Coordinates of all heavy atoms in Angstrom, one line a residue:
A427 N 7.0 3.5 1.8 CA 5.7 2.9 1.6 C 5.8 1.5 0.9 O 6.6 1.3 0.0 CB 4.8 3.8 0.8
L428 N 5.0 0.6 1.4 CA 5.0 -0.8 0.8 C 4.1 -0.8 -0.4 O 2.9 -0.4 -0.3 CB 4.5 -1.7 1.9 CG 4.5 -3.2 1.5 CD1 5.9 -3.7 1.2 CD2 3.9 -4.0 2.7
D429 N 4.6 -1.3 -1.5 CA 3.8 -1.4 -2.8 C 3.0 -2.7 -2.8 O 3.6 -3.8 -2.8 CB 4.7 -1.3 -4.0 CG 3.9 -1.4 -5.3 OD1 2.7 -1.4 -5.3 OD2 4.6 -1.4 -6.3
L430 N 1.7 -2.6 -2.7 CA 0.8 -3.8 -2.6 C 0.2 -4.1 -4.0 O -0.8 -4.9 -4.1 CB -0.3 -3.7 -1.6 CG 0.2 -3.6 -0.1 CD1 -0.9 -3.3 0.8 CD2 1.0 -4.8 0.3
T431 N 0.7 -3.5 -5.1 CA 0.1 -3.7 -6.4 C -0.2 -5.1 -6.8 O -1.3 -5.5 -7.2 CB 1.0 -3.0 -7.5 OG1 1.2 -1.7 -7.1 CG2 0.4 -3.2 -8.8
D432 N 0.8 -6.0 -6.6 CA 0.6 -7.4 -7.0 C 0.2 -8.3 -5.8 O 0.2 -9.5 -6.0 CB 1.9 -7.9 -7.6 CG 2.2 -7.2 -8.9 OD1 1.3 -6.9 -9.7 OD2 3.4 -6.9 -9.2
S433 N -0.2 -7.7 -4.7 CA -0.6 -8.5 -3.5 C -1.9 -9.2 -3.8 O -2.8 -8.6 -4.4 CB -0.7 -7.6 -2.3 OG -1.2 -8.3 -1.2
R434 N -2.1 -10.4 -3.4 CA -3.4 -11.1 -3.6 C -4.3 -11.0 -2.3 O -5.5 -11.0 -2.4 CB -3.1 -12.6 -3.8 CG -2.4 -12.8 -5.1 CD -3.4 -12.6 -6.3 NE -2.7 -12.8 -7.6 CZ -2.6 -11.9 -8.5 NH1 -3.0 -10.7 -8.3 NH2 -2.0 -12.2 -9.6
L435 N -3.7 -11.0 -1.1 CA -4.4 -10.8 0.1 C -4.1 -9.5 0.8 O -2.9 -9.2 1.0 CB -4.1 -12.0 1.0 CG -4.4 -13.4 0.5 CD1 -3.9 -14.4 1.5 CD2 -5.9 -13.6 0.3
R436 N -5.1 -8.7 1.1 CA -4.9 -7.4 1.7 C -5.9 -7.2 2.8 O -6.9 -7.9 2.9 CB -5.1 -6.3 0.6 CG -4.3 -6.4 -0.6 CD -4.6 -5.3 -1.5 NE -4.0 -5.5 -2.8 CZ -4.0 -4.6 -3.7 NH1 -4.4 -3.4 -3.5 NH2 -3.4 -4.9 -4.9
A437 N -5.6 -6.3 3.6 CA -6.5 -5.9 4.7 C -7.7 -5.2 4.0 O -7.6 -4.6 3.0 CB -5.8 -5.0 5.7
V438 N -8.9 -5.3 4.7 CA -10.1 -4.7 4.2 C -10.2 -3.3 4.7 O -9.9 -3.1 5.9 CB -11.3 -5.6 4.5 CG1 -12.6 -4.9 4.0 CG2 -11.2 -7.0 4.0
S439 N -10.6 -2.4 3.9 CA -10.7 -1.0 4.3 C -11.8 -0.8 5.3 O -12.8 -1.6 5.2 CB -10.9 -0.1 3.1 OG -12.3 0.3 3.0
P440 N -11.7 0.1 6.2 CA -12.7 0.3 7.2 C -14.1 0.7 6.6 O -15.1 0.3 7.1 CB -12.2 1.5 8.1 CG -10.7 1.4 7.9 CD -10.5 0.9 6.5
L441 N -14.1 1.4 5.5 CA -15.3 1.7 4.8 C -16.0 0.4 4.2 O -17.2 0.3 4.3 CB -15.1 2.7 3.6 CG -14.7 4.1 4.1 CD1 -14.3 4.9 2.9 CD2 -15.8 4.7 4.9
H442 N -15.2 -0.5 3.7 CA -15.8 -1.7 3.2 C -16.3 -2.6 4.3 O -17.4 -3.2 4.2 CB -14.7 -2.5 2.4 CG -15.2 -3.8 1.8 ND1 -16.1 -3.7 0.7 CD2 -15.0 -5.1 2.0 CE1 -16.4 -4.9 0.4 NE2 -15.8 -5.8 1.1
L443 N -15.6 -2.6 5.5 CA -16.2 -3.3 6.6 C -17.5 -2.7 7.1 O -18.4 -3.5 7.4 CB -15.1 -3.3 7.8 CG -13.9 -4.0 7.6 CD1 -12.9 -3.8 8.7 CD2 -14.2 -5.5 7.4
E444 N -17.6 -1.4 7.1 CA -18.9 -0.8 7.4 C -20.0 -1.2 6.4 O -21.1 -1.5 6.8 CB -18.8 0.7 7.5 CG -20.0 1.4 7.9 CD -19.9 2.9 8.0 OE1 -18.7 3.4 7.9 OE2 -20.9 3.6 8.1
Y445 N -19.7 -1.2 5.1 CA -20.6 -1.6 4.1 C -21.1 -3.0 4.3 O -22.2 -3.3 4.2 CB -19.8 -1.4 2.7 CG -20.5 -2.0 1.5 CD1 -21.6 -1.5 1.0 CD2 -20.0 -3.2 0.9 CE1 -22.2 -2.0 -0.2 CE2 -20.6 -3.7 -0.2 CZ -21.7 -3.1 -0.7 OH -22.3 -3.7 -1.9
L446 N -20.1 -3.9 4.6 CA -20.5 -5.3 4.9 C -21.4 -5.4 6.1 O -22.4 -6.2 6.1 CB -19.2 -6.2 5.1 CG -18.3 -6.3 3.9 CD1 -17.1 -7.1 4.2 CD2 -19.1 -6.9 2.7
R447 N -21.1 -4.7 7.2 CA -22.0 -4.7 8.4 C -23.4 -4.2 8.0 O -24.3 -4.8 8.5 CB -21.3 -3.8 9.5 CG -20.3 -4.5 10.3 CD -19.9 -3.7 11.5 NE -19.4 -2.4 11.2 CZ -18.1 -2.1 11.0 NH1 -17.2 -3.1 11.0 NH2 -17.8 -0.9 10.7
N448 N -23.5 -3.2 7.2 CA -24.8 -2.6 6.8 C -25.6 -3.6 6.0 O -26.8 -3.7 6.1 CB -24.6 -1.3 6.0 CG -24.2 -0.2 6.9 OD1 -24.3 -0.2 8.1 ND2 -23.6 0.8 6.3
M449 N -24.9 -4.5 5.3 CA -25.6 -5.5 4.5 C -25.7 -6.8 5.3 O -26.3 -7.8 4.8 CB -24.8 -5.8 3.2 CG -24.8 -4.7 2.2 SD -24.2 -5.2 0.6 CE -23.0 -6.5 0.9
Q450 N -25.2 -6.8 6.5 CA -25.3 -8.0 7.4 C -24.6 -9.2 6.7 O -25.0 -10.3 6.7 CB -26.7 -8.4 7.8 CG -27.4 -7.3 8.6 CD -28.8 -7.6 8.9 OE1 -29.5 -8.4 8.3 NE2 -29.3 -6.9 9.9
V451 N -23.4 -8.9 6.2 CA -22.5 -9.9 5.6 C -21.3 -10.1 6.4 O -20.7 -9.2 6.9 CB -22.1 -9.3 4.2 CG1 -21.0 -10.2 3.6 CG2 -23.3 -9.3 3.2
A452 N -21.0 -11.4 6.6 CA -19.8 -11.8 7.5 C -18.6 -12.3 6.6 O -17.5 -12.4 7.2 CB -20.3 -12.8 8.4
A453 N -18.8 -12.5 5.4 CA -17.7 -13.0 4.5 C -17.8 -12.3 3.2 O -18.9 -12.0 2.6 CB -17.8 -14.5 4.3
S454 N -16.6 -12.0 2.6 CA -16.5 -11.3 1.4 C -15.3 -11.8 0.6 O -14.2 -12.0 1.2 CB -16.4 -9.8 1.6 OG -16.2 -9.1 0.4
F455 N -15.5 -12.0 -0.7 CA -14.4 -12.5 -1.6 C -14.6 -11.8 -2.9 O -15.7 -11.9 -3.5 CB -14.5 -14.0 -1.7 CG -13.5 -14.7 -2.6 CD1 -12.1 -14.6 -2.3 CD2 -13.9 -15.4 -3.7 CE1 -11.2 -15.2 -3.1 CE2 -13.0 -16.0 -4.5 CZ -11.6 -15.9 -4.3
S456 N -13.6 -11.1 -3.4 CA -13.7 -10.4 -4.6 C -12.6 -10.7 -5.6 O -11.5 -11.0 -5.2 CB -13.6 -8.9 -4.3 OG -14.6 -8.5 -3.5
L457 N -12.9 -10.7 -6.9 CA -12.0 -11.0 -7.9 C -12.1 -9.9 -9.0 O -13.2 -9.6 -9.4 CB -12.3 -12.4 -8.6 CG -12.1 -13.6 -7.6 CD1 -13.1 -14.6 -8.0 CD2 -10.7 -14.1 -7.7
A458 N -11.0 -9.4 -9.4 CA -11.0 -8.3 -10.4 C -11.1 -9.0 -11.8 O -10.3 -9.9 -12.1 CB -9.7 -7.5 -10.3
V459 N -11.9 -8.4 -12.7 CA -12.0 -8.8 -14.1 C -11.2 -7.8 -14.9 O -11.6 -6.7 -15.0 CB -13.4 -8.9 -14.6 CG1 -13.5 -9.3 -16.1 CG2 -14.3 -9.9 -13.7
I460 N -10.0 -8.2 -15.3 CA -9.1 -7.3 -16.0 C -9.1 -7.6 -17.5 O -8.9 -8.7 -17.9 CB -7.6 -7.5 -15.5 CG1 -7.5 -7.4 -14.0 CG2 -6.7 -6.6 -16.2 CD1 -7.9 -6.0 -13.5
V461 N -9.5 -6.6 -18.3 CA -9.6 -6.7 -19.8 C -8.7 -5.7 -20.4 O -8.8 -4.5 -20.0 CB -11.0 -6.6 -20.3 CG1 -11.1 -6.6 -21.8 CG2 -11.9 -7.6 -19.6
N462 N -7.7 -6.1 -21.2 CA -6.8 -5.1 -21.8 C -6.1 -4.3 -20.8 O -5.9 -3.1 -20.9 CB -7.5 -4.2 -22.9 CG -8.0 -5.0 -24.0 OD1 -7.4 -6.0 -24.4 ND2 -9.2 -4.6 -24.6
E463 N -5.6 -5.0 -19.7 CA -4.9 -4.3 -18.6 C -5.6 -3.2 -17.9 O -5.0 -2.4 -17.3 CB -3.5 -3.8 -19.2 CG -2.7 -4.9 -19.8 CD -1.3 -4.4 -20.2 OE1 -0.9 -3.3 -19.8 OE2 -0.7 -5.1 -21.1
R464 N -6.9 -3.3 -18.0 CA -7.8 -2.3 -17.3 C -8.9 -3.0 -16.5 O -9.3 -4.1 -16.9 CB -8.4 -1.3 -18.2 CG -7.4 -0.5 -19.0 CD -8.0 0.6 -19.8 NE -8.7 1.5 -18.9 CZ -9.4 2.5 -19.3 NH1 -9.6 2.7 -20.5 NH2 -10.0 3.3 -18.4
L465 N -9.2 -2.5 -15.3 CA -10.3 -3.1 -14.6 C -11.6 -2.9 -15.3 O -12.1 -1.8 -15.6 CB -10.4 -2.4 -13.2 CG -11.5 -2.9 -12.3 CD1 -11.3 -4.4 -11.9 CD2 -11.6 -2.0 -11.0
W466 N -12.2 -4.0 -15.7 CA -13.5 -4.1 -16.5 C -14.6 -4.3 -15.5 O -15.7 -3.7 -15.7 CB -13.4 -5.2 -17.5 CG -14.6 -5.3 -18.4 CD1 -14.8 -4.6 -19.6 CD2 -15.8 -6.1 -18.1 NE1 -16.1 -5.0 -20.1 CE2 -16.7 -5.9 -19.2 CE3 -16.1 -7.0 -17.1 CZ2 -17.9 -6.5 -19.3 CZ3 -17.3 -7.6 -17.2 CH2 -18.2 -7.4 -18.3
G467 N -14.4 -5.0 -14.5 CA -15.5 -5.3 -13.6 C -15.0 -6.1 -12.3 O -13.8 -6.3 -12.2
L468 N -15.9 -6.4 -11.5 CA -15.5 -7.1 -10.2 C -16.5 -8.2 -9.9 O -17.7 -7.9 -10.0 CB -15.5 -6.0 -9.1 CG -14.9 -6.4 -7.8 CD1 -13.4 -6.6 -7.9 CD2 -15.2 -5.3 -6.8
L469 N -16.0 -9.3 -9.6 CA -16.9 -10.4 -9.2 C -16.8 -10.4 -7.7 O -15.8 -10.7 -7.1 CB -16.4 -11.8 -9.7 CG -17.1 -13.0 -9.3 CD1 -18.6 -13.0 -9.8 CD2 -16.4 -14.2 -9.9
A470 N -17.9 -10.1 -7.0 CA -18.0 -10.1 -5.6 C -18.9 -11.1 -5.0 O -20.0 -11.3 -5.4 CB -18.5 -8.7 -5.1
C471 N -18.4 -11.9 -4.1 CA -19.1 -13.0 -3.4 C -19.3 -12.6 -1.9 O -18.3 -12.2 -1.3 CB -18.4 -14.3 -3.5 SG -17.9 -14.7 -5.2
H472 N -20.5 -12.8 -1.4 CA -20.7 -12.5 0.0 C -21.4 -13.7 0.7 O -22.1 -14.4 0.0 CB -21.7 -11.3 0.2 CG -21.1 -10.0 -0.4 ND1 -21.6 -9.4 -1.5 CD2 -20.1 -9.2 0.0 CE1 -20.9 -8.3 -1.8 NE2 -20.0 -8.2 -0.9
G473 N -21.1 -13.8 2.0 CA -21.7 -14.9 2.7 C -22.2 -14.4 4.1 O -21.7 -13.4 4.6
S474 N -23.1 -15.2 4.6 CA -23.7 -14.8 5.9 C -22.9 -15.2 7.1 O -23.1 -14.8 8.2 CB -25.1 -15.3 6.0 OG -25.1 -16.7 5.9
A475 N -21.9 -16.1 6.9 CA -21.0 -16.6 8.0 C -19.6 -16.6 7.5 O -19.3 -16.8 6.3 CB -21.4 -18.0 8.4
P476 N -18.7 -16.3 8.4 CA -17.2 -16.4 8.0 C -16.9 -17.7 7.5 O -17.4 -18.8 7.9 CB -16.5 -16.1 9.4 CG -17.5 -15.5 10.3 CD -18.8 -16.0 9.8
M477 N -16.0 -17.7 6.5 CA -15.5 -19.0 5.9 C -14.1 -18.9 5.4 O -13.6 -17.8 5.1 CB -16.5 -19.5 4.8 CG -16.5 -18.6 3.6 SD -17.7 -19.0 2.3 CE -17.7 -20.7 2.3
H478 N -13.5 -20.0 5.3 CA -12.1 -20.1 4.8 C -12.2 -20.6 3.3 O -12.9 -21.6 3.1 CB -11.2 -21.0 5.6 CG -9.9 -21.3 5.0 ND1 -8.9 -20.3 5.1 CD2 -9.4 -22.3 4.3 CE1 -7.8 -20.8 4.4 NE2 -8.1 -22.0 4.0
I479 N -11.5 -20.0 2.4 CA -11.4 -20.5 1.0 C -10.0 -21.0 0.8 O -9.0 -20.2 1.0 CB -11.8 -19.4 0.0 CG1 -13.2 -18.8 0.3 CG2 -11.7 -19.9 -1.4 CD1 -13.6 -17.6 -0.5
S480 N -9.9 -22.2 0.5 CA -8.5 -22.8 0.3 C -7.8 -22.2 -0.8 O -8.4 -21.6 -1.7 CB -8.7 -24.3 0.1 OG -9.2 -24.6 -1.2
Q481 N -6.5 -22.3 -0.8 CA -5.7 -21.8 -1.9 C -6.1 -22.4 -3.3 O -6.1 -21.7 -4.3 CB -4.2 -22.1 -1.6 CG -3.3 -21.7 -2.8 CD -3.3 -20.2 -3.1 OE1 -3.5 -19.4 -2.2 NE2 -3.2 -19.8 -4.3
A482 N -6.4 -23.7 -3.3 CA -6.8 -24.4 -4.5 C -8.1 -23.8 -5.0 O -8.2 -23.5 -6.2 CB -7.0 -25.9 -4.3
N483 N -9.1 -23.5 -4.2 CA -10.3 -22.9 -4.6 C -10.1 -21.4 -5.1 O -10.7 -21.0 -6.0 CB -11.4 -23.0 -3.5 CG -12.0 -24.4 -3.4 OD1 -11.9 -25.2 -4.3 ND2 -12.6 -24.6 -2.2
R484 N -9.2 -20.7 -4.4 CA -8.9 -19.3 -4.8 C -8.3 -19.4 -6.2 O -8.7 -18.6 -7.1 CB -8.0 -18.6 -3.8 CG -8.7 -18.2 -2.6 CD -7.9 -17.2 -1.7 NE -6.6 -17.7 -1.4 CZ -6.3 -18.3 -0.3 NH1 -7.2 -18.5 0.6 NH2 -5.0 -18.6 0.0
A485 N -7.4 -20.3 -6.4 CA -6.7 -20.4 -7.7 C -7.7 -20.8 -8.8 O -7.7 -20.2 -9.9 CB -5.6 -21.4 -7.7
A486 N -8.7 -21.7 -8.5 CA -9.7 -22.1 -9.5 C -10.6 -20.9 -9.8 O -10.9 -20.7 -11.0 CB -10.5 -23.2 -8.9
C487 N -11.0 -20.1 -8.8 CA -11.8 -18.9 -9.1 C -11.0 -17.9 -9.9 O -11.6 -17.3 -10.8 CB -12.2 -18.2 -7.7 SG -13.4 -19.2 -6.8
E488 N -9.7 -17.8 -9.7 CA -8.9 -16.8 -10.5 C -8.8 -17.3 -12.0 O -8.9 -16.5 -12.9 CB -7.5 -16.7 -9.9 CG -6.7 -15.7 -10.6 CD -5.4 -15.4 -9.9 OE1 -5.1 -15.9 -8.8 OE2 -4.6 -14.6 -10.5
V489 N -8.7 -18.6 -12.2 CA -8.7 -19.2 -13.5 C -10.0 -18.9 -14.2 O -10.0 -18.4 -15.4 CB -8.4 -20.7 -13.5 CG1 -8.6 -21.3 -14.9 CG2 -6.9 -20.9 -13.1
L490 N -11.1 -19.1 -13.6 CA -12.4 -18.9 -14.2 C -12.6 -17.4 -14.5 O -13.2 -17.0 -15.5 CB -13.5 -19.4 -13.3 CG -13.6 -20.9 -13.1 CD1 -14.6 -21.3 -12.1 CD2 -14.0 -21.5 -14.5
T491 N -12.2 -16.5 -13.6 CA -12.3 -15.1 -13.8 C -11.4 -14.6 -15.0 O -11.9 -13.8 -15.8 CB -11.9 -14.3 -12.5 OG1 -12.7 -14.7 -11.4 CG2 -12.0 -12.8 -12.7
N492 N -10.2 -15.2 -15.1 CA -9.4 -14.8 -16.2 C -10.0 -15.3 -17.5 O -9.9 -14.7 -18.6 CB -8.0 -15.4 -16.0 CG -7.2 -14.7 -14.9 OD1 -7.5 -13.6 -14.6 ND2 -6.2 -15.3 -14.4
A493 N -10.6 -16.5 -17.5 CA -11.2 -17.1 -18.7 C -12.4 -16.1 -19.1 O -12.6 -15.9 -20.3 CB -11.7 -18.5 -18.5
Y494 N -13.2 -15.7 -18.1 CA -14.3 -14.8 -18.4 C -13.7 -13.5 -19.0 O -14.3 -12.9 -20.0 CB -15.0 -14.5 -17.1 CG -16.2 -13.5 -17.3 CD1 -17.3 -13.9 -18.0 CD2 -16.1 -12.2 -16.8 CE1 -18.4 -13.1 -18.2 CE2 -17.2 -11.4 -17.0 CZ -18.3 -11.8 -17.7 OH -19.3 -10.9 -17.9
A495 N -12.6 -13.0 -18.5 CA -12.0 -11.7 -19.0 C -11.6 -11.9 -20.5 O -11.8 -11.0 -21.3 CB -10.8 -11.3 -18.2
V496 N -11.1 -13.1 -20.8 CA -10.7 -13.3 -22.2 C -11.9 -13.3 -23.1 O -11.9 -12.7 -24.2 CB -9.9 -14.7 -22.3 CG1 -9.8 -15.1 -23.7 CG2 -8.6 -14.6 -21.6
R497 N -13.0 -13.9 -22.6 CA -14.2 -14.0 -23.4 C -14.8 -12.5 -23.6 O -15.2 -12.2 -24.7 CB -15.3 -14.8 -22.7 CG -16.6 -15.0 -23.4 CD -16.3 -15.5 -24.8 NE -17.5 -15.3 -25.6 CZ -18.1 -16.3 -26.3 NH1 -17.6 -17.6 -26.2 NH2 -19.2 -16.1 -27.0
V498 N -14.7 -11.7 -22.6 CA -15.2 -10.3 -22.7 C -14.4 -9.6 -23.8 O -14.9 -8.9 -24.6 CB -15.1 -9.6 -21.3 CG1 -15.3 -8.1 -21.5 CG2 -16.1 -10.2 -20.4
R499 N -13.0 -9.8 -23.7 CA -12.2 -9.1 -24.7 C -12.5 -9.6 -26.1 O -12.6 -8.8 -27.0 CB -10.7 -9.4 -24.3 CG -9.7 -8.7 -25.3 CD -8.3 -9.0 -24.9 NE -7.9 -10.4 -24.8 CZ -7.7 -11.2 -25.9 NH1 -7.8 -10.7 -27.1 NH2 -7.4 -12.5 -25.7
L500 N -12.7 -10.9 -26.3 CA -13.0 -11.4 -27.6 C -14.3 -10.9 -28.1 O -14.4 -10.6 -29.3 CB -13.0 -13.0 -27.6 CG -11.6 -13.6 -27.4 CD1 -11.8 -15.1 -27.2 CD2 -10.6 -13.3 -28.5
D501 N -15.3 -10.8 -27.2 CA -16.6 -10.3 -27.6 C -16.5 -8.8 -28.0 O -17.1 -8.4 -29.0 CB -17.6 -10.5 -26.5 CG -18.1 -11.9 -26.4 OD1 -17.8 -12.7 -27.3 OD2 -18.8 -12.2 -25.4
D502 N -15.7 -8.1 -27.2 CA -15.5 -6.6 -27.5 C -14.8 -6.5 -28.9 O -15.2 -5.6 -29.7 CB -14.7 -5.9 -26.5 CG -15.5 -5.7 -25.2 OD1 -16.7 -5.8 -25.2 OD2 -14.9 -5.3 -24.2
E503 N -13.8 -7.3 -29.2 CA -13.1 -7.2 -30.4 C -14.0 -7.6 -31.6 O -13.8 -7.1 -32.7 CB -11.9 -8.1 -30.4 CG -10.8 -7.6 -29.5 CD -9.6 -8.5 -29.3 OE1 -9.7 -9.6 -29.9 OE2 -8.7 -8.2 -28.6
A504 N -15.0 -8.4 -31.4 CA -15.9 -8.9 -32.5 C -17.0 -7.9 -32.8 O -17.6 -8.0 -33.9 CB -16.5 -10.2 -32.1
Q505 N -17.2 -6.9 -32.0 CA -18.2 -5.9 -32.2 C -17.8 -5.0 -33.4 O -16.6 -4.7 -33.6 CB -18.3 -4.9 -31.0 CG -18.8 -5.6 -29.8 CD -20.2 -6.2 -30.0 OE1 -21.1 -5.6 -30.6 NE2 -20.5 -7.4 -29.4
P506 N -18.8 -4.7 -34.3 CA -18.5 -3.9 -35.5 C -18.1 -2.5 -35.2 O -18.3 -1.9 -34.2 CB -19.8 -3.9 -36.3 CG -20.8 -4.4 -35.4 CD -20.2 -5.1 -34.2

């Protein structure tokens, strides 16, 4: 079996494709928010038409998502 743990681009599951069709969505882009090595949340973007996201824009989105995860961790640590 092929380990896709660190893969950035993957095929979309048939269930997710059905979910997108039910929402009448033609484009989907998701980023995992990882806090303390655990999935804290998911940033999901949807569009009504297919689109290409450049490598530079994907990298920028990943940087912003990671910055958000750091902020969440810092806020959690500041809680009494």
Side-chain angles (χ1 to χ4, degrees):
L428 183 61
D429 182 2
L430 296 176
T431 301
D432 295 320
S433 173
R434 294 288 182 239
L435 299 175
R436 303 180 192 192
V438 179
S439 103
L441 290 174
H442 186 66
L443 291 173
E444 182 179 351
Y445 169 73
L446 295 176
R447 277 192 300 273
N448 289 340
M449 291 194 330
Q450 299 178 339
V451 168
S454 177
F455 178 62
S456 301
L457 296 147
V459 179
I460 306 295
V461 177
N462 296 325
E463 299 182 22
R464 297 188 66 185
L465 180 63
W466 181 89
L468 193 65
L469 176 62
C471 307
H472 297 110
S474 59
M477 65 185 324
H478 172 78
I479 301 174
S480 70
Q481 176 60 34
N483 284 341
R484 286 195 303 266
C487 290
E488 188 171 351
V489 167
L490 292 172
T491 302
N492 290 339
Y494 180 73
V496 167
R497 180 58 192 235
V498 167
R499 182 179 55 80
L500 292 173
D501 285 349
D502 284 350
E503 290 173 357
Q505 296 296 321

